[in-house]
């Protein structure tokens, strides 16, 4: 695995997303066996970064992440757990309560990275949220803070309110979606030691049939999806968190970090969409 190091912390280039683990918007116990198989496969393959949220499957995703980790006896200190607070819980007391609820569901005593999932409905709520988030870091319940889906102005505001460096901005980023390149967020992150965590990195309709990607994939004896991940991995300050319920895809996604694209391949891919 390759790593990005920011503020003395090394974070794996590829982690495991958990949207659909345990259900989608609501808990779906029927999804538990497949979800636990996916999490165990990921732990077994060597993933150490797991990305979840209080909203995923109404908190059941966090419960299953915690359960899979306990059942596989993975060492807590070797793992990096990200979870997220929902935008409707950004008042001071709500932040503290959400964090306690996430810790209880995960059955952990700290969260490595705690993100504000979506911008607040009113910009002033951010002050209140960071008052509580800073307190959680001081109390050791949260190691690092970050945000998600934040445009540049709000990201800078978060930086000014956080007592510790904003570790990441988690945003959509994949070959055909360069919104956060075009709006200047990626460049700002790269210049200011902030990780850009690319979500939905392999959500494609036509990727396998795209001739250019397919040819590059053949050169590396890889799949087009692995090439889409390798393109993200090649970028400084970018990490990513693909999700899959398919054990083969889970292992392929992890292995994609080892693919070395040539400068020409990287350029071709960058100009593709
Ligand atoms: N912060 C936010 O607002 C936000 C929003 C969205 C997502 N996220 C996070 O980012 C994670 C990833 O995003 P995502 O789940 O939306 O999308 P994604 O990981 O880009 O795509 C998931 C889809 O791709 C398929 N897939 C994965 N690997 C594959 C492979 N190697 N070959 C073929 N198909 C593959 C999966 O199907 P199979 O199961 O069949 O493999 C699944 O249908 C989420 O799980 C979540 O943790 C965050």
């Amino acid at each position: 695995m390759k790593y990005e190091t920011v503020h003395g912390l090394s974070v794996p280039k590829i982690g495991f997303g958990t949207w659909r683990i345990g259900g989608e918007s609501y808990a779906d116990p029927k999804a538990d066996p497949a979800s636990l198989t996916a999490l165990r496969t990921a732990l077994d393959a060597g993933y150490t970064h797991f990305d979840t949220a209080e909203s995923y499957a109404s908190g059941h995703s966090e419960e299953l992440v915690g359960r899979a980790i306990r059942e596989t006896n993975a060492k807590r200190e070797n793992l990096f757990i990200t979870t997220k607070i929902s935008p409707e819980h950004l008042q001071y007391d709500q932040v503290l309560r959400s964090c306690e609820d996430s810790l209880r569901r995960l059955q952990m005593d700290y969260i490595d990275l705690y993100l504000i999932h979506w911008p607040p409905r009113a910009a002033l709520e951010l002050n209140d949220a960071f008052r509580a988030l800073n307190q959680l870091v001081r109390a050791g319940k949260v190691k690092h803070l970050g945000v998600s889906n934040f445009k540049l102005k709000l990201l800078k505001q978060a930086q000014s309110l956080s007592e510790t460096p904003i570790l990441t901005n988690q945003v959509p980023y994949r070959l055909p979606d360069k919104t956060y390149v075009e709006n200047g967020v990626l460049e700002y992150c790269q210049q200011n030691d902030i990780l850009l965590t690319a979500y939905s990195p392999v959500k494609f309709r036509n990727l396998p049939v795209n001739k250019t990607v397919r040819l590059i994939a053949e050169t590396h004896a890889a799949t087009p999806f692995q090439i889409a991940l390798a393109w993200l991995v090649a970028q400084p300050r970018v990490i990513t968190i693909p999700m899959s319920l398919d054990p083969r895809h889970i292992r392929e996604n992890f292995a994609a970090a080892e693919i070395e694209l040539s400068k020409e391949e990287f350029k071709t891919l960058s100009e593709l969409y």
Side-chain angles (χ1 to χ4, degrees):
M1 179 51 60
K2 295 191 180 95
Y3 292 81
E4 274 297 325
T5 302
V6 279
H7 308 288
L9 181 79
S10 288
V11 185
K13 278 282 200 180
I14 296 186
F16 190 74
T18 66
W19 167 246
R20 289 203 297 143
I21 288 288
E24 293 193 357
S25 299
Y26 298 99
D28 174 9
K30 288 196 299 302
D32 282 8
S35 299
L36 285 165
T37 300
L39 288 165
R40 287 183 197 122
T41 306
L43 284 159
D44 189 49
Y47 287 82
T48 54
H49 178 195
F50 289 81
D51 176 85
T52 182
E54 65 172 356
S55 63
Y56 293 177
S58 298
H60 190 45
S61 160
E62 291 178 325
E63 288 171 344
L64 292 181
V65 168
R67 180 173 155 191
I69 288 168
R70 287 192 304 282
E71 285 178 359
T72 46
N73 290 324
K75 282 211 172 91
R76 176 68 185 92
E77 63 269 28
N78 295 338
L79 299 172
F80 189 80
I81 307 299
T82 296
T83 192
K84 314 184 195 81
I85 183 165
S86 301
E88 61 273 21
H89 294 157
L90 292 180
Q91 286 170 18
Y92 178 82
D93 288 341
Q94 293 173 322
V95 173
L96 299 183
R97 197 173 323 122
S98 276
C99 181
E100 287 304 333
D101 288 346
S102 286
L103 287 169
R104 180 179 39 77
R105 286 189 293 261
L106 287 160
Q107 291 193 35
M108 292 178 181
D109 43 14
Y110 67 91
I111 292 163
D112 292 279
L113 177 57
Y114 202 28
L115 308 183
I116 297 179
H117 203 152
W118 289 91
R121 284 164 293 192
L124 265 184
E125 278 183 357
L126 213 54
N127 299 29
D128 219 22
F130 271 99
R131 211 158 49 82
L133 290 169
N134 288 329
Q135 187 175 317
L136 289 169
V137 174
R138 278 187 248 118
K141 299 201 171 190
V142 167
K143 301 279 183 205
H144 305 277
L145 298 177
V147 294
S148 178
N149 301 297
F150 273 37
K151 304 265 166 61
L152 208 44
K153 189 171 165 216
L154 216 51
L155 174 59
K156 288 179 182 172
Q157 199 181 331
Q159 280 183 295
S160 71
L161 292 169
S162 180
E163 289 174 1
T164 50
I166 293 292
L167 200 77
T168 193
N169 187 12
Q170 184 178 125
V171 300
Y173 188 29
R174 58 182 177 277
L175 280 173
D177 184 352
K178 306 208 178 67
T179 310
Y180 281 81
V181 179
E182 284 148 15
N183 67 15
V185 165
L186 175 61
E187 191 182 9
Y188 183 80
C189 288
Q190 288 172 328
Q191 289 170 351
N192 289 276
D193 265 355
I194 301 172
L195 296 174
L196 184 140
T197 305
Y199 75 65
S200 303
V202 288
K203 243 180 199 169
F204 291 96
R205 279 225 182 93
N206 299 320
L207 186 71
V209 292
N210 182 297
K211 206 172 153 202
T212 309
V213 183
R214 205 156 37 78
L215 284 176
I216 294 175
E218 278 166 20
T219 313
H220 291 273
T223 72
F225 294 93
Q226 288 180 302
I227 296 302
L229 290 171
W231 175 78
L232 289 168
V233 165
Q235 302 178 45
R237 294 290 172 258
V238 176
I239 65 167
T240 187
I241 45 167
M243 189 281 168
S244 173
L245 287 167
D246 180 325
R248 184 163 57 92
H249 294 165
I250 292 169
R251 287 188 279 267
E252 284 174 359
N253 293 346
F254 189 78
E258 306 312 322
I259 297 170
E260 300 282 351
L261 297 173
S262 70
K263 276 198 180 115
E264 295 71 41
E265 287 168 339
F266 182 81
K267 188 163 176 287
T268 304
L269 290 166
S270 301
E271 290 166 357
L272 198 59
Y273 289 90

